[in-house]
Amino acid sequence: MSDTDKVFAGSIPKIYDEYLVPMIFSVYAEDIARRIAARSPSVLLEIAAGTGAVTRAVAAALPRGIRYVATDLNEPMLAVAAQRQADDDRISWRQADASALPFGDAEFDVVCCQFGAMFFPDRVKAYGEVKRVLRPDGTFVFNVWDRIEDNVLTHEATVALGKLFPDDPPRFMVRTPHGYHDKAIIRTDLERAGFRDISIETRSETSRAPSPEYVALALCQGTPLRSEIEARDASKLQAATDIVAETIRTRHGASPVEGKIQAVVIEARP
């Protein structure tokens, strides 16, 4: 993982929340919320909450009496999330590293995480922390992106950027968001952390956007892919966004745009 892969700062959090969340994250957030609501937790923890896509979905699915702690390593992302839900007194926001959770043992009924595990430097250590803060009958619910070839628009964007930078193509999307999808590896990591009851499934959905330009802006400027582009040539950020938009337009038409997205969803219990 590159040093910039975990940096969500500057204008990235706002673009991420306004563009990327509706395009690819919301549908999976609703799935996570349904799974959590079925377990009727009273105290839950979210790690790698980002700008709060799951937080909003889960909060809407749960009753007034619950306590919900939402954390993220990146304070700029968490600030956007907290602003979006400033009037919900059930939720507390806290900057935290998933590998060193600042909570007591057996404190939570459920721990959830949407598309965050791919960014953990030491996944077994992070999963061990989740197991530590979970109650003995608790559940860890999380998801990760499947391989990039099963996520059409992101794959097409990555191929397009490779043509703009043929000598050093940006590989953020392949390397990190879509770099942790092998179910056998995921299961082994969880077992090494002490989880025993593990279910893993593949879930396909459809990504929707109003235009190719929307897709290009979301991917090129609302993720750390932006940092990769700017590291190669800071003057080419708009050119990179434009070439991705043109590629999406050529393949999918002017508007609206649809493409397959696919994730791996995991529920694990100690």
Side-chain angles (χ1 to χ4, degrees):
M1 185 186 302
S2 166
D3 289 342
T4 63
D5 284 7
K6 296 186 290 183
V7 178
F8 290 78
S11 63
I12 290 175
K14 186 173 187 294
I15 296 172
Y16 175 104
D17 191 58
E18 291 183 6
Y19 289 80
L20 206 64
V21 166
M23 192 172 85
I24 62 174
F25 289 120
S26 291
V27 64
Y28 287 106
E30 295 294 338
D31 175 62
I32 292 281
R34 285 191 296 270
R35 294 168 188 267
I36 292 173
R39 300 193 172 277
S40 302
S42 59
V43 186
L44 63 153
L45 170 68
E46 182 179 354
I47 52 179
T51 60
V54 165
T55 322
R56 293 189 288 274
V58 172
L62 294 179
R64 285 293 313 162
I66 59 106
R67 182 168 71 88
Y68 192 158
V69 183
T71 70
D72 197 277
L73 183 64
N74 287 276
E75 290 189 271
M77 297 285 276
L78 207 59
V80 173
Q83 185 177 34
R84 290 282 301 271
Q85 284 178 275
D87 61 345
D88 194 331
D89 59 8
R90 299 173 300 171
I91 305 170
S92 58
W93 308 92
R94 187 163 179 179
Q95 192 274 340
D97 184 341
S99 297
L101 293 173
F103 305 106
D105 295 353
E107 193 170 329
F108 299 97
D109 299 314
V110 169
V111 176
C112 64
C113 179
Q114 168 144 290
F115 301 124
M118 310 90 71
F119 294 88
F120 298 162
D122 185 336
R123 296 183 187 100
V124 174
K125 184 177 180 181
Y127 296 161
E129 279 290 274
V130 171
K131 181 178 180 292
R132 179 183 66 78
V133 302
L134 266 178
R135 290 171 178 165
D137 58 349
T139 305
F140 180 27
V141 183
F142 70 107
N143 54 21
V144 295
W145 289 116
D146 209 337
R147 63 188 196 122
I148 196 167
E149 291 82 1
D150 287 314
N151 290 268
V152 171
L153 302 177
T154 303
H155 180 52
E156 291 171 351
T158 300
V159 172
L161 291 173
K163 295 176 182 177
L164 182 64
F165 300 102
D167 297 330
D168 188 15
R171 300 289 290 171
F172 164 72
M173 289 296 185
V174 178
R175 179 178 60 248
T176 300
H178 298 277
Y180 183 61
H181 54 77
D182 187 305
K183 293 177 182 177
I185 292 174
I186 295 168
R187 182 179 295 276
T188 297
D189 287 348
L190 286 164
E191 289 173 345
R192 287 176 62 199
F195 286 94
R196 294 292 174 263
D197 183 2
I198 302 165
S199 64
I200 304 176
E201 65 180 82
T202 300
R203 188 174 184 91
S204 298
E205 298 286 356
T206 300
S207 172
R208 293 179 174 85
S211 69
E213 291 77 16
Y214 183 108
V215 175
L217 182 64
L219 295 174
C220 294
Q221 300 189 33
T223 75
L225 180 57
R226 175 178 185 148
S227 301
E228 273 203 314
I229 294 167
E230 291 181 327
R232 284 152 179 77
D233 187 338
S235 70
K236 289 189 175 179
L237 178 61
Q238 190 56 52
T241 307
D242 291 343
I243 196 172
V244 169
E246 180 57 34
T247 298
I248 301 298
R249 187 182 301 109
T250 299
R251 292 179 176 271
H252 300 274
S255 62
V257 175
E258 291 188 355
K260 176 188 175 184
I261 47 177
Q262 189 161 292
V264 178
V265 187
I266 305 99
E267 295 188 28
R269 285 161 288 277

